[in-house]
Amino acid sequence: MRTYKYKIKNIPTSELEKLNSDSASVWNECLKLKDVWDYAHGYSYTSKECELWLDKQLAKSQQLHSQSIQDIRQRYFKGWQGFFGLRKNGDKKSKPPHKQKRYTTTTWKKSAIQYKDGMLRLSNGKDNKPLSIPLPVNVDIDKISVIHLVFNNGQYELHFVYKTEDVEQIGSDDIMSVDIGEIHPMVCHDGVDTTLFNGRYIRSLYRLRNKVIASFQERISKCVRGSKRFKTLVKRKWKKIRTIDNQINDCLHKHTTTFAKLCSQKNMGVIVLGDLSNIRDSVDYGKKSNQKIHQWAFDKITNLITYKAKRLGIKVKLINESYTSQTCPKCMNRKKVSGREYKCKCGFTYHRDGIGAINIYKKYQGCFINPVVGPMAVPFGIRLDVPKLPCKHKECS
Ligand SMILES: [Zn+2]
């Protein structure tokens, strides 16, 4: 599956807002109906019966296309499934879906999508006007599986999700492990060589992003909420953030493409990623905003690697990465790392950022306890071509 993003231009925002608000109303109704169901049955559980009953009730009260309504109901129950899964694994903090929404993504499935004379017509049920837009040039109508209406960074976008052809799998069993981190967005290891992807420029963009948010927030907080000044500032803030996010995105794309090419050159059959779903508990970033952006980058890198690898016929596997950055690959001693070099009391030393990737490699092979033998190759660094800003000194120019 791939997604093509299309920025909507010719339709008033209020119309799009109404759709996602209607979708939120479906979601909120799900919350309410589930309570009714639970009350009638005495305890909280979900079943096929419960889902069918909800669908029936929603069809009576809600607008939008019936498939769009069903999609939100499915999302709601996915939330429940996730909750049960986490509970089973001993997570006591997790909650089932319980928050009311003001807006949420609207989805059109195949039966709601019509195409005539270059125009796409997205049906929104009997009482609502259908959404009518020209078909973007890059989109093949026959391959579309669903379309999402997404509010992304202050503006509405249509996300066309379409199927891609299956690629023949690479037969080799060679493994490339990847450690996704803060200092280096990616460090990979193939059993012999370690490659570091430099993250300095990306980190500077993160800092700039936080700075922009902080400075705008200060100015916005002085305005009356909803005033004209308030609105312009919010708009300008999003515009700036969008630009920075695009730059970060671009960097992540370049790095992951280089990485995918490297794997392909070396004829790797499997890419192993550390599973990052627990990262939120284990890392203390201090500030909430920092955490959010890092989390976002983690997910983004994982997604980019996954789809780029699949396109090349390389399998992607996730494994639990706990302790991989602290354990000595030679003697299994665990220690907190400080400084640039990882130095173990057994005499093993290596660049600290390579440790995680080496251990993920070993862990996937099932020989986490086997010591590495012999000297390791010195890690190789890959940098991005960073746009050079003109110097501000008069003498320099
Ligand atoms: Zn050691």
Side-chain angles (χ1 to χ4, degrees):
M1 291 288 186
R2 291 207 61 189
T3 308
Y4 173 77
K5 292 176 187 174
Y6 170 79
K7 284 173 192 145
I8 305 171
K9 280 168 199 143
N10 303 327
I11 298 169
T13 312
S14 58
E15 206 176 297
L16 304 167
E17 223 167 60
K18 162 115 191 349
L19 285 170
N20 275 7
S21 147
D22 283 350
S23 292
S25 134
V26 177
W27 174 273
N28 297 340
E29 192 65 18
C30 283
L31 295 173
K32 228 188 273 167
L33 288 169
K34 181 71 169 56
D35 279 345
V36 176
W37 173 271
D38 286 347
Y39 185 75
H41 292 78
Y43 58 96
S44 181
Y45 83 116
T46 61
S47 63
K48 202 84 218 149
E49 265 179 302
C50 173
E51 289 175 27
L52 289 173
W53 180 77
L54 236 72
D55 276 341
K56 226 178 183 178
Q57 304 302 315
L58 289 171
K60 278 185 216 159
S61 64
Q62 299 298 312
Q63 300 182 349
L64 294 178
H65 191 273
S66 62
Q67 294 276 308
S68 303
I69 294 174
Q70 205 187 36
D71 183 77
I72 295 161
R73 198 272 296 151
Q74 282 165 349
R75 236 185 284 159
Y76 173 74
F77 277 100
K78 244 188 195 162
W80 271 96
Q81 267 169 23
F83 162 73
F84 285 133
L86 287 170
R87 263 287 154 88
K88 231 182 182 176
N89 291 333
D91 186 341
K92 280 177 188 154
K93 278 188 215 156
S94 65
K95 281 180 185 155
H98 65 285
K99 268 191 191 152
Q100 296 252 335
K101 291 181 194 241
R102 282 181 64 202
Y103 302 102
T104 192
T105 302
T106 309
T107 303
W108 290 273
K109 295 190 185 176
K110 265 224 146 123
S111 58
I113 305 167
Q114 279 174 4
Y115 178 64
K116 213 180 173 189
D117 304 327
M119 291 297 276
L120 267 182
R121 192 171 166 279
L122 307 177
S123 165
N124 293 318
K126 258 186 256 161
D127 304 321
N128 278 342
K129 204 175 123 191
L131 207 63
S132 202
I133 55 147
L135 183 73
V137 193
N138 303 6
V139 177
D140 182 355
I141 183 74
D142 296 322
K143 283 186 189 154
I144 297 174
S145 60
V146 286
I147 300 176
H148 300 292
L149 175 63
V150 183
F151 187 66
N152 194 13
N153 282 355
Q155 72 184 44
Y156 279 97
E157 289 173 355
L158 282 179
H159 290 187
F160 294 85
V161 182
Y162 55 91
K163 281 185 195 126
T164 44
E165 277 109 64
D166 291 338
V167 188
E168 209 182 308
Q169 298 277 310
I170 292 178
S172 108
D173 288 329
D174 290 340
I175 304 164
M176 181 74 103
S177 68
V178 188
D179 182 27
I180 302 175
E182 289 166 81
I183 309 290
H184 294 281
M186 291 185 292
V187 179
C188 62
H189 180 75
D190 62 359
V192 183
D193 295 320
T194 308
T195 312
L196 307 173
F197 289 80
N198 191 282
R200 184 172 295 171
Y201 180 54
I202 298 176
R203 277 205 312 282
S204 79
L205 288 171
Y206 286 156
R207 278 198 296 274
L208 179 65
R209 191 183 194 272
N210 286 339
K211 237 175 165 175
V212 166
I213 292 177
S215 87
F216 267 106
Q217 226 47 51
E218 202 195 322
R219 284 156 73 192
I220 288 170
S221 68
K222 286 173 190 158
C223 302
V224 181
R225 206 186 156 82
S227 66
K228 207 174 166 189
R229 175 94 186 128
F230 176 91
K231 279 178 190 161
T232 18
L233 279 174
V234 169
K235 221 176 181 179
R236 251 197 265 161
K237 179 183 107 178
W238 278 113
K239 205 177 166 195
K240 270 260 166 74
I241 293 176
R242 258 202 311 270
T243 315
I244 299 170
D245 281 353
N246 283 343
Q247 283 167 328
I248 297 176
N249 252 331
D250 188 47
C251 292
L252 298 181
H253 261 291
K254 277 177 184 155
H255 264 337
T256 45
T257 301
T258 313
F259 170 72
K261 273 185 194 156
L262 185 73
C263 292
S264 175
Q265 268 168 20
K266 294 195 170 193
N267 200 34
M268 294 290 162
V270 188
I271 292 173
V272 188
L273 296 169
D275 190 357
L276 299 161
S277 42
N278 306 328
I279 198 84
R280 267 158 287 174
D281 305 329
S282 58
V283 187
D284 181 17
Y285 290 112
K287 275 191 180 173
K288 244 189 181 169
S289 59
N290 275 353
Q291 182 185 336
K292 251 187 192 167
I293 181 94
H294 281 294
Q295 186 62 40
W296 171 77
F298 280 135
D299 296 345
K300 186 96 199 171
I301 292 173
T302 309
N303 289 340
L304 288 177
I305 291 179
T306 307
Y307 98 77
K308 284 178 188 178
K310 278 192 179 155
R311 226 163 27 163
L312 293 167
I314 305 171
K315 282 180 223 126
V316 177
K317 297 271 152 86
L318 291 174
I319 61 161
N320 184 346
E321 64 156 12
S322 40
Y323 306 119
T324 46
S325 61
Q326 297 170 17
T327 310
C328 168
K330 198 168 181 183
C331 70
M332 299 306 293
N333 181 40
R334 234 185 252 163
K335 67 170 237 172
K336 284 257 191 281
V337 199
S338 54
R340 285 171 72 83
E341 284 288 306
Y342 183 93
K343 279 186 195 137
C344 181
K345 57 187 178 190
C346 72
F348 179 88
T349 58
Y350 201 67
H351 195 301
R352 69 172 280 182
D353 298 310
I355 300 290
I358 295 171
N359 279 326
I360 291 173
Y361 181 88
K362 287 172 68 194
K363 209 171 179 181
Y364 180 73
Q365 284 195 319
C367 59
F368 195 23
I369 350 173
N370 292 6
V372 289
V373 255
M376 306 283 292
V378 179
F380 176 74
I382 293 181
R383 277 172 189 276
L384 286 169
D385 292 327
V386 180
K388 275 211 176 96
L389 294 170
C391 187
K392 277 175 189 161
H393 294 125
K394 266 184 195 163
E395 305 86 63
C396 295
S397 56

Short mmCIF file of all heavy atoms in Angstrom, two decimals, residues 328 330-333 344-346 348, ligand 1:
data_model
loop_
_atom_site.label_atom_id
_atom_site.label_comp_id
_atom_site.label_asym_id
_atom_site.label_seq_id
_atom_site.Cartn_x
_atom_site.Cartn_y
_atom_site.Cartn_z
N CYS A 328 27.21 -5.01 26.59
CA CYS A 328 28.48 -5.20 25.88
C CYS A 328 28.34 -6.40 24.93
O CYS A 328 27.96 -7.48 25.36
CB CYS A 328 29.60 -5.46 26.88
SG CYS A 328 31.10 -6.05 26.10
N LYS A 330 30.46 -8.25 23.75
CA LYS A 330 31.46 -9.30 23.95
C LYS A 330 31.18 -10.12 25.21
O LYS A 330 31.18 -11.35 25.17
CB LYS A 330 32.84 -8.67 24.03
CG LYS A 330 33.96 -9.66 23.79
CD LYS A 330 35.27 -8.91 23.60
CE LYS A 330 36.41 -9.89 23.33
NZ LYS A 330 37.69 -9.17 23.20
N CYS A 331 30.92 -9.42 26.33
CA CYS A 331 30.81 -10.17 27.59
C CYS A 331 29.42 -10.07 28.22
O CYS A 331 29.20 -10.60 29.31
CB CYS A 331 31.86 -9.69 28.59
SG CYS A 331 31.53 -8.05 29.22
N MET A 332 28.47 -9.40 27.55
CA MET A 332 27.09 -9.31 28.02
C MET A 332 26.92 -8.48 29.29
O MET A 332 25.84 -8.46 29.87
CB MET A 332 26.46 -10.69 28.25
CG MET A 332 26.40 -11.55 27.02
SD MET A 332 25.57 -10.71 25.69
CE MET A 332 23.92 -10.62 26.34
N ASN A 333 27.98 -7.84 29.73
CA ASN A 333 27.85 -6.96 30.89
C ASN A 333 27.01 -5.75 30.50
O ASN A 333 27.09 -5.26 29.39
CB ASN A 333 29.25 -6.51 31.34
CG ASN A 333 29.18 -5.64 32.55
OD1 ASN A 333 28.39 -5.90 33.46
ND2 ASN A 333 30.00 -4.58 32.58
N CYS A 344 34.04 -1.25 27.89
CA CYS A 344 33.62 -2.25 28.86
C CYS A 344 34.82 -2.69 29.68
O CYS A 344 35.96 -2.58 29.24
CB CYS A 344 33.01 -3.44 28.13
SG CYS A 344 32.42 -4.71 29.24
N LYS A 345 34.53 -3.24 30.87
CA LYS A 345 35.65 -3.66 31.73
C LYS A 345 36.39 -4.87 31.15
O LYS A 345 37.51 -5.16 31.52
CB LYS A 345 35.18 -3.93 33.15
CG LYS A 345 34.09 -4.98 33.26
CD LYS A 345 33.56 -5.07 34.69
CE LYS A 345 32.44 -6.09 34.74
NZ LYS A 345 31.73 -6.08 36.01
N CYS A 346 35.72 -5.57 30.20
CA CYS A 346 36.38 -6.72 29.58
C CYS A 346 37.38 -6.29 28.51
O CYS A 346 38.06 -7.12 27.90
CB CYS A 346 35.36 -7.67 28.96
SG CYS A 346 34.60 -7.02 27.48
N PHE A 348 36.51 -4.45 25.76
CA PHE A 348 35.86 -4.14 24.50
C PHE A 348 35.58 -2.64 24.41
O PHE A 348 35.00 -2.06 25.32
CB PHE A 348 34.56 -4.92 24.39
CG PHE A 348 33.80 -4.67 23.13
CD1 PHE A 348 34.04 -5.41 21.99
CD2 PHE A 348 32.82 -3.67 23.08
CE1 PHE A 348 33.33 -5.17 20.83
CE2 PHE A 348 32.12 -3.42 21.92
CZ PHE A 348 32.38 -4.18 20.79
ZN ZN B 1 32.46 -6.48 27.91
#
